[in-house]
Amino acid sequence: MSEFNSNAIAVINSKEVANIYRQEFEQMFSGRFHNTKLKTVNNKVLLGDTELSIYFSPQDKTTINALLPLINNAKQYIYIPTFLITDKNIANALISAHNRGVDIKIITDALNASVKHSKHGLLRKNGLLVKAENYAGKMHSKSMIIDDMYTIIGSMNFVNISIILSNWLSI
């Protein structure tokens, strides 16, 4: 196996965005992690005609406040390259979107397709197209592309966020 990991990156030239991430970093550097971190204030940044929304887990309740509304309002498609999906709310929202005619395609990491709480089998059982990538390295991305409108790039696996320390950027 190679050392190749499929990831996503966004380069954003914005002092406002850098300041939001700096504030999050400073909380963690001073010892505030997980539930002890403060909620992000002013997480919306306008760059031209693109609005960026920046969420940090768990304090911003990323799944409830950002991911589920976008999944629930998708009209055409949701494409997801991701390491792992174990969050039942995300899985159920994806199944509902599929049932209302939204094209769902998911690529997950092959080694994680069969872990204890993986929703890989549930999603396939409900007719969603799920490919387990095992070509070279890990499918390490945590992204969603929705309806030519939203690109979600993050470092948080689609898992129960009460145990995850990470962030999301929705463009």
Side-chain angles (χ1 to χ4, degrees):
M1 181 192 299
S2 77
E3 295 300 318
F4 175 78
N5 287 336
S6 177
N7 285 295
I9 186 171
V11 178
I12 301 164
N13 187 4
S14 166
K15 288 182 182 181
E16 289 176 278
V17 171
N19 187 47
I20 292 169
Y21 275 84
R22 182 186 54 77
Q23 289 173 26
E24 182 74 5
F25 176 83
E26 287 178 357
Q27 284 192 73
M28 292 185 292
F29 193 77
S30 70
R32 287 182 175 268
F33 291 96
H34 200 33
N35 290 325
T36 64
K37 293 190 300 180
L38 303 174
K39 187 175 182 329
T40 307
V41 179
N42 301 323
N43 71 332
K44 305 243 187 262
V45 175
L46 191 61
L47 293 177
D49 22 335
T50 301
E51 181 180 277
L52 282 74
S53 301
I54 301 166
Y55 296 88
F56 296 96
S57 291
Q59 75 270 27
D60 291 334
K61 298 183 171 126
T62 306
T63 299
I64 293 166
N65 292 328
L67 298 177
L68 291 177
L70 292 176
I71 294 169
N72 292 335
N73 289 303
K75 305 284 187 258
Q76 299 171 311
Y77 73 85
I78 303 172
Y79 298 155
I80 306 171
T82 188
F83 188 63
L84 179 66
I85 299 175
T86 65
D87 187 286
K88 67 180 179 193
N89 296 313
I90 291 173
N92 289 335
L94 290 169
I95 292 165
S96 293
H98 170 75
N99 290 339
R100 68 175 186 273
V102 176
D103 180 32
I104 310 283
K105 292 179 182 168
I106 303 168
I107 303 172
T108 64
D109 183 67
L111 293 175
N112 285 294
S114 61
V115 298
K116 183 176 180 180
H117 297 289
S118 173
K119 300 303 181 212
H120 180 269
L122 173 69
L123 294 166
R124 278 190 171 174
K125 180 179 162 184
N126 281 277
L128 282 76
L129 297 174
V130 181
K131 180 192 183 314
E133 197 285 318
N134 62 358
Y135 179 69
K138 293 189 181 306
M139 169 50 65
H140 204 246
S141 180
K142 289 94 173 175
S143 305
M144 285 189 196
I145 305 101
I146 302 174
D147 288 347
D148 294 336
M149 291 286 300
Y150 302 100
T151 301
I152 301 160
I153 299 172
S155 61
M156 178 181 82
N157 289 317
F158 298 115
V159 299
N160 178 347
I161 64 165
S162 65
I163 59 170
I164 299 299
L165 301 173
S166 50
N167 61 69
W168 279 95
L169 171 67
S170 174
I171 303 173

